[in-house]
Amino acid sequence: MKQEFPQLNSDFEIIDIGDGFSAMQLRAGEQHLRPGGTVSGPSLFALADVAAYAAILAHIGPVALAVTTNLNINFLRKTTPGTVQAMARILKLGKRLAVIDISLTSGEENNLIAHATATYSIPPH
């Protein structure tokens, strides 16, 4: 990921990758906050997108030109600084498109704070 996505920093971490999923986390600090002290939408969007990308690349290999064609996110509740987890599950992995479901959780109770779906375009071999 660091080779193909060098703008990622140590705030993002892959926790686990398995059959049809990836788990990541974001250590949301001061730079990820919006006024009012909540984690910003763009930070949560980035976590969802990167988790989807990791799940796809784990299954198709290092195809750097796989790109997001659509990402829809629903913000369900605010969250404060700390660790935000993302669980990305592959719903469909075809030859040209992949569809991913991403749940973002936070807190000790793993409260669902956002839900996203992403579609990626996979370039031909």
Side-chain angles (χ1 to χ4, degrees):
M1 287 291 283
K2 290 186 190 253
Q3 178 181 342
E4 299 301 338
F5 215 136
Q7 60 271 44
L8 284 182
N9 57 37
S10 61
D11 296 339
F12 293 87
E13 181 183 359
I14 295 172
I15 302 302
D16 193 11
I17 293 182
D19 188 23
F21 79 93
S22 76
M24 293 192 70
Q25 70 180 18
L26 166 65
R27 285 184 281 295
E30 188 71 29
Q31 69 276 23
H32 301 108
L33 301 183
R34 63 177 303 279
T38 62
V39 178
S40 71
S43 296
L44 297 175
F45 189 97
L47 177 60
D49 195 25
V50 173
Y53 189 67
I56 293 166
L57 293 190
H59 290 80
I60 67 172
V63 180
L65 295 179
V67 296
T68 310
T69 59
N70 185 40
L71 196 146
N72 181 53
I73 190 165
N74 294 295
F75 300 104
L76 304 173
R77 59 181 52 91
K78 67 180 185 174
T79 190
T80 54
T83 301
V84 179
Q85 298 87 20
M87 175 61 74
R89 292 176 189 85
I90 297 173
L91 300 177
K92 177 184 189 270
L93 183 58
K95 291 181 183 178
R96 297 298 310 257
L97 289 178
V99 179
I100 313 296
D101 177 82
I102 309 106
S103 296
L104 280 72
T105 58
S106 179
E108 291 181 18
E109 304 84 32
N110 283 325
N111 291 323
L112 186 63
I113 58 171
H115 175 262
T117 54
T119 303
Y120 268 74
S121 175
I122 300 169
H125 295 311

